[in-house]
Amino acid sequence: MNNSVTNTARLLGAGLRALLVLTLVTGVIYPLVVTGIAQGLFGNRANGSEIKADGRVVGSSLIGQSYNLPLKKGQENPDPDLKWFQGRPANGLGSNSVNTQYKLLLSGATNLAADNKVLVQQVEDAKAAVVKDNSVPGYTVRPSDVPADAVTSSGSGLDPAISPQYAELQVHRIAAKNGLSVAQVEKLVEDHTQGRTLGFMGEPRVNVLELNIALGDLAAKQ
């Protein structure tokens, strides 16, 4: 009986020591090492690819933002604030229905087929809005000028970038709304256009948040 109790105590002690060692290694040492390496070598990425303006974090270079006017009484969807460059539509985003303490958006696509009537109508409405919003005195946008990314959402609904074509289409409207010259705004777009990754992967793109930060700085100097 004593031997049985002793053996059981030894097994329990060995198990407890193993638990403590594994907890220390996997729960403390390993996370600290990984975090230290990440912060040392990839600090910006580890912290969420933050973008700062005026000394504070205003967003992430990986997540798109909306630039809308405050909701008016009776409105369900806000109007775009046309003094800013606009990103892609985000029709696939859902709303948080579990944690009601915070207003969260759920990343996602529409999952609608190309011939779905709802999607077709969304695209047609978006194209009409792009034409209307970006046609200013002396510059008229034609439906054929509107690129695909101006009227379709990405797979995540959170695409932070637009095509150079869509950015350039907005130049005249941005110039008119901010009291800037077309040449000034064109230069902003040119300076913030990123080429293909490694020269062959992906497509040229413009990060909307970074572009709008530069736009705000330029407009403030006028």
Side-chain angles (χ1 to χ4, degrees):
M1 184 68 178
N2 290 336
N3 288 338
S4 177
V5 172
T6 301
N7 290 335
T8 300
R10 287 176 179 174
L11 290 174
L12 288 174
L16 181 59
R17 289 193 295 272
L19 175 63
L20 292 174
V21 170
L22 288 174
T23 300
L24 180 63
V25 172
T26 62
V28 179
I29 297 176
Y30 177 74
L32 287 176
V33 170
V34 172
T35 301
I37 293 174
Q39 289 293 332
L41 299 180
F42 313 102
N44 182 54
R45 294 183 181 180
N47 292 328
S49 301
E50 297 172 341
I51 294 180
K52 295 182 178 181
D54 299 325
R56 62 187 181 90
V57 176
V58 295
S60 167
S61 63
L62 304 177
I63 300 177
Q65 297 187 16
S66 298
Y67 298 89
N68 296 324
L69 295 169
L71 276 172
K72 298 177 182 177
K73 187 176 181 179
Q75 265 190 329
E76 291 186 3
N77 299 308
D79 295 323
D81 190 343
L82 297 179
K83 73 177 182 180
W84 300 109
F85 283 95
Q86 296 295 312
R88 297 183 65 174
N91 296 323
L93 296 182
S95 58
N96 173 53
S97 59
V98 179
N99 183 351
T100 56
Q101 183 177 358
Y102 304 103
K103 183 178 181 180
L104 303 176
L105 290 177
L106 307 180
S107 173
T110 63
N111 291 328
L112 299 176
D115 60 351
N116 184 282
K117 292 182 179 180
V118 174
L119 179 61
V120 171
Q121 189 61 53
Q122 287 178 351
V123 170
E124 290 179 351
D125 291 345
K127 180 177 288 189
V130 169
V131 169
K132 176 178 177 293
D133 291 342
N134 291 283
S135 294
V136 297
Y139 180 76
T140 301
V141 177
R142 298 168 298 179
S144 59
D145 297 329
V146 180
D149 63 303
V151 296
T152 57
S153 57
S154 65
S156 69
L158 298 173
D159 195 335
I162 56 176
S163 65
Q165 292 78 12
Y166 187 27
E168 290 164 4
L169 182 147
Q170 302 182 61
V171 163
H172 287 76
R173 183 249 300 161
I174 292 293
K177 292 288 184 179
N178 290 278
L180 300 170
S181 70
V182 170
Q184 285 177 301
V185 183
E186 286 179 335
K187 183 67 164 52
L188 278 183
V189 173
E190 179 183 347
D191 290 344
H192 288 82
T193 298
Q194 305 172 46
R196 292 179 171 87
T197 303
L198 299 179
F200 67 94
M201 292 191 297
E203 295 294 331
R205 59 202 180 280
V206 183
N207 187 286
V208 180
L209 175 56
E210 293 176 352
L211 181 60
N212 276 333
I213 290 172
L215 170 63
D217 291 342
L218 179 61
K221 297 176 182 178
Q222 300 302 306

